[in-house]
Amino acid sequence: MPSYAAPTKDMQFILHDVLKITEADIPGYDELERDFTGAILAEAGKISSEVLTPLNVVGDTEGCKLENGVVRTPTGFGAALDQMKEGGWPGLDMPEEFGGQNMPYVLGTAVGEMFSASNQAFTMYQGLTHGAASAILAHGTDAQKNTYLPKMVACDWTGTMNLTEPHCGTDLGLMRTKAEPQDDGSYRITGQKIFISAGEHDLADNIIHLVLAKITGGPEGIKGVSLFIVPKFLVNEDGSLGARNGVACGNIEKKMGIHGNSTCVMNYDGATGYLLGEEHKGMRAMFTMMNEARLGVGMQGLAQAEAAYQNAVIYARERLQGRAVTGAENPDGPADPLIVHPDIRRSLMDQKSFTEGGRAFLLWGSTMIDRAHRGGDADADGLISLLTPVIKGFLTDRGYDMTVQAQQVYGGHGYIEEWGMSQFTRDARIAMIYEGANGVQALDLVGRKLAQDGGKHVMAFFDLVKSWIKDNAGQDADYDRDFLDPLKAASKDLQAAGMFFIQNGMKNPNDALAGSYDFMHMFGHVCLGLMWAQMARASRDALAAGTSDAAFHETKLTTGRYYMARQLPATGLHLARIQSGGTQVMALEADQF
């Protein structure tokens, strides 16, 4: 069975040596001392390794079962959730007034990576609850907050998001679910939703569904969509549970992965719902949850890559196959371990440089959320809005690729279920699809986010990269050559791609949109390049100061050089594709495919 060890040391390095969180002018960050964050991360890592990891294969093997309208979750999931609740983990970064611990989002992100890496299917139950609670916190009335949030923050009640219908996925303006106003101010919700993660299960006393629907007589299309709170059980005025609502699970999907999470078809038959936010402004309210979910899904891609990588390293060190081309390195054995071979090293370095760079990117993005939400910083909010599709799309695409590479290290054993490597690949695959398929993320990036606020935020990103290069150049020739020069070249590629869109996109939108996917990946590479430049600076400073852990920092520098030399130049390929325009992409007629 695969194992997992939480990368707490790397997280501490990023939080304190790279991001320098205690020095940031973000409310609450001054309390995040190294010993404090270390204790929290260590405890979360222990739960991940000892409680959640052993249940990962159980969830994959048993899956969920629908019995008489109730979904039975895999053996051990209920006890594990009880343990999570006892530790207060579901409410780590939620407000104290509703039972949370009010920790910064960045700490919740670090903890969330561990939980997702150890058991993604299980962690989704509380992750979706967190997202639903955040939407109620942002858009609910005081009465709604007081009714639902204490139970949801504690995870006594869980939450969902209901968007997709059988005939519409991304194009939510086509939805048919209706909301009929009632005299008491509630609404009767009727319709069907599909692909609803954690839509029905036996882990909580109540499930609070957030449902998109159209109020009868409202505007057509997306402008007529509203968001509703639809509990599985109605809640009495004293907070106790009342009658069963008119919502039921009609089926659970048989899926490629995340078998331990119930993906449901939900039927609403005149169910009682309560408007969340304003009429016909449902997408605004839902996007509070969607944006959080997209960052969480980016984290899932990274987390599965990390777990798969850890196991690939163990196998590569232990499996004896062939001899090193430069001479036997295990002369007393029948063969050398796999890890002596250059192509295995290439694969492992791809994985290691991605996971460590991606982790820094994700945690950096989380600090922007804290800066925006805790400090009211509109610029930080604009920048993370720009980067959200990059975090979601790039980290999940590359994260999936890394799980495949880890599986490949095992050879034939990677394809055999008993070794457990296929689960990482199967579980990672959904992250490229849900919460907005990655092609949609790329369209959102190029079609909306680049021009947002007059292009202010993308220009701020370029200025940030330029400032880092300028402020750190000329101090160390090796650092300039290995890190700053590649970062500068990649940033110029990204700017050239943006200029191509500006010059050609208005005349022929296909020229821009045909290159959107490449642009998303190019942007992701530049972000990881920036992260590696910052991590390298921190490690060089630590070595210069005489750190007691020179091996860690030397390894960090070597890994960073690999990314800058072997991965970051991919921006040139992406630029060439973008500048070829949309002509070749759109050349065939539909009936020629």
Side-chain angles (χ1 to χ4, degrees):
M1 183 175 71
S3 61
Y4 173 72
T8 54
K9 186 175 184 179
D10 197 49
M11 290 177 175
Q12 286 282 79
F13 166 72
I14 295 168
L15 291 174
H16 295 284
D17 299 331
V18 180
L19 299 176
K20 301 180 188 289
I21 54 175
T22 57
E23 301 174 21
D25 58 340
I26 300 173
Y29 271 39
D30 57 336
E31 300 176 5
L32 300 181
E33 296 291 343
R34 192 182 293 265
D35 289 346
F36 178 71
T37 59
I40 291 176
L41 295 179
E43 187 61 30
K46 182 179 179 181
I47 292 174
S48 298
S49 299
E50 297 179 5
V51 178
L52 302 187
T53 296
L55 291 176
N56 201 33
V57 67
V58 175
D60 188 55
T61 303
E62 291 187 11
C64 295
K65 298 177 178 65
L66 179 62
E67 299 176 351
N68 299 320
V70 178
V71 172
R72 305 298 179 187
T73 52
T75 304
F77 272 38
L81 185 58
D82 287 342
Q83 194 164 341
M84 298 288 281
K85 288 159 59 176
E86 288 170 9
W89 296 107
L92 184 68
D93 58 357
M94 296 299 284
E96 289 180 279
E97 63 180 302
F98 299 114
Q101 300 182 52
N102 203 36
M103 298 292 175
Y105 184 83
V106 69
L107 196 58
T109 299
V111 168
E113 184 202 324
M114 301 182 205
F115 292 162
S116 289
S118 56
N119 196 323
Q120 179 176 318
F122 171 85
T123 302
M124 287 172 64
Y125 289 101
Q126 62 192 46
L128 287 160
T129 304
H130 187 286
S134 295
I136 294 173
L137 182 65
H139 302 283
T141 64
D142 288 342
Q144 289 172 337
K145 293 175 187 177
N146 292 328
T147 297
Y148 299 106
L149 289 184
K151 291 289 189 180
M152 295 177 75
V153 168
C155 233
D156 292 332
W157 298 350
T158 61
T160 70
M161 54 193 301
N162 286 235
L163 291 79
T164 306
E165 300 184 8
H167 57 282
C168 72
T170 301
D171 191 353
L172 293 172
L174 297 176
M175 72 173 56
R176 296 171 183 161
T177 300
K178 296 296 183 183
E180 298 177 30
Q182 304 298 297
D183 292 340
D184 63 357
S186 67
Y187 293 78
R188 288 176 58 84
I189 311 299
T190 302
Q192 185 180 77
K193 299 289 184 176
I194 63 171
F195 304 154
I196 308 306
S197 299
E200 171 61 36
H201 56 78
D202 56 1
L203 298 176
D205 296 331
N206 204 1
I207 302 174
I208 311 305
H209 302 289
L210 298 192
V211 183
L212 286 178
K214 291 182 176 180
I215 298 175
T216 304
E220 293 296 319
I222 200 69
K223 293 182 179 180
V225 173
S226 301
L227 183 62
F228 300 88
I229 298 173
V230 187
K232 175 181 175 181
F233 288 96
L234 298 175
V235 182
N236 297 320
E237 288 188 8
D238 63 358
S240 63
L241 295 183
R244 175 68 187 259
N245 206 355
V247 52
C249 173
N251 190 30
I252 54 176
E253 305 290 355
K254 295 177 174 61
K255 312 184 296 291
M256 176 179 176
I258 55 168
H259 295 155
N261 195 271
S262 52
T263 304
C264 301
V265 174
M266 301 301 298
N267 296 318
Y268 293 86
D269 186 11
T272 298
Y274 308 95
L275 184 67
L276 179 60
E278 300 177 52
E279 283 189 0
H280 317 312
K281 304 292 185 182
M283 292 309 298
R284 179 189 301 173
M286 181 59 83
F287 265 104
T288 299
M289 190 173 182
M290 284 288 287
N291 285 332
E292 179 179 314
R294 285 171 177 172
L295 292 171
V297 170
M299 177 183 68
Q300 289 176 358
L302 169 68
Q304 294 306 300
E306 171 66 30
Y309 162 72
Q310 288 188 16
N311 288 277
V313 170
I314 294 170
Y315 188 82
R317 287 172 175 164
E318 296 177 352
R319 176 72 168 178
L320 302 181
Q321 290 283 284
R323 290 293 187 188
V325 68
T326 53
E329 295 194 18
N330 180 33
D332 296 331
D336 289 333
L338 279 173
I339 203 165
V340 307
H341 302 301
D343 193 59
I344 295 294
R345 291 290 187 95
R346 171 202 57 78
S347 175
L348 294 177
M349 288 297 284
D350 280 353
Q351 296 167 56
K352 181 177 175 63
S353 64
F354 166 75
T355 56
E356 293 180 12
R359 178 174 300 116
F361 182 26
L362 186 66
L363 292 176
W364 176 49
S366 298
T367 65
M368 293 180 217
I369 292 178
D370 281 329
R371 187 175 293 281
H373 293 176
R374 288 173 167 256
D377 189 325
D379 290 338
D381 190 54
L383 186 55
I384 192 58
S385 178
L386 169 72
L387 295 177
T388 292
V390 183
I391 291 172
K392 196 279 185 185
F394 181 74
L395 292 187
T396 58
D397 275 353
R398 296 298 290 158
Y400 175 78
D401 290 344
M402 295 305 112
T403 66
V404 172
Q405 289 210 41
Q407 187 182 30
Q408 189 76 5
V409 169
Y410 280 67
H413 291 301
Y415 200 65
I416 303 300
E417 291 295 340
E418 68 180 274
W419 288 85
M421 293 304 290
S422 75
Q423 184 183 353
F424 298 125
T425 301
R426 289 185 286 103
D427 285 356
R429 185 64 184 88
I430 184 58
M432 302 159 71
I433 299 172
Y434 60 14
E435 310 308 341
N438 285 357
V440 176
Q441 300 300 318
L443 295 177
D444 177 48
L445 175 64
V446 171
R448 292 181 63 246
K449 298 299 175 61
L450 287 185
Q452 193 171 28
D453 296 327
K456 172 183 176 181
H457 306 300
V458 72
M459 294 308 300
F461 175 81
F462 287 134
D463 287 343
L464 193 154
V465 175
K466 290 176 184 176
S467 295
W468 180 267
I469 294 171
K470 179 181 178 182
D471 293 346
N472 290 274
Q475 304 174 36
D476 185 320
D478 289 344
Y479 178 74
D480 288 358
R481 180 194 65 235
D482 295 340
F483 292 93
L484 296 187
D485 290 348
L487 177 59
K488 184 186 297 184
S491 180
K492 286 182 177 178
D493 285 343
L494 187 63
Q495 291 177 68
M499 186 58 65
F500 176 84
F501 293 152
I502 292 172
Q503 293 173 345
N504 297 276
M506 292 298 292
K507 292 181 292 184
N508 184 1
N510 286 337
D511 278 346
L513 299 184
S516 60
Y517 213 93
D518 281 284
F519 187 79
M520 180 179 71
H521 274 253
M522 180 190 289
F523 211 142
H525 278 299
V526 173
C527 287
L528 261 64
L530 176 62
M531 294 298 98
W532 273 115
Q534 294 183 2
M535 289 190 286
R537 181 80 272 166
S539 283
R540 294 185 78 87
D541 290 347
L543 290 167
T547 176
S548 60
D549 196 359
F552 173 87
H553 293 288
E554 292 288 1
T555 300
K556 185 66 68 173
L557 287 167
T558 300
T559 307
R561 291 189 192 99
Y562 179 89
Y563 193 88
M564 305 306 272
R566 298 275 303 208
Q567 295 295 318
L568 194 54
T571 59
L573 172 62
H574 290 303
L575 177 60
R577 289 172 173 168
I578 289 168
Q579 291 178 334
S580 72
T583 301
Q584 306 308 323
V585 173
M586 306 301 292
L588 292 181
E589 297 296 330
D591 60 4
Q592 291 180 290
F593 282 92

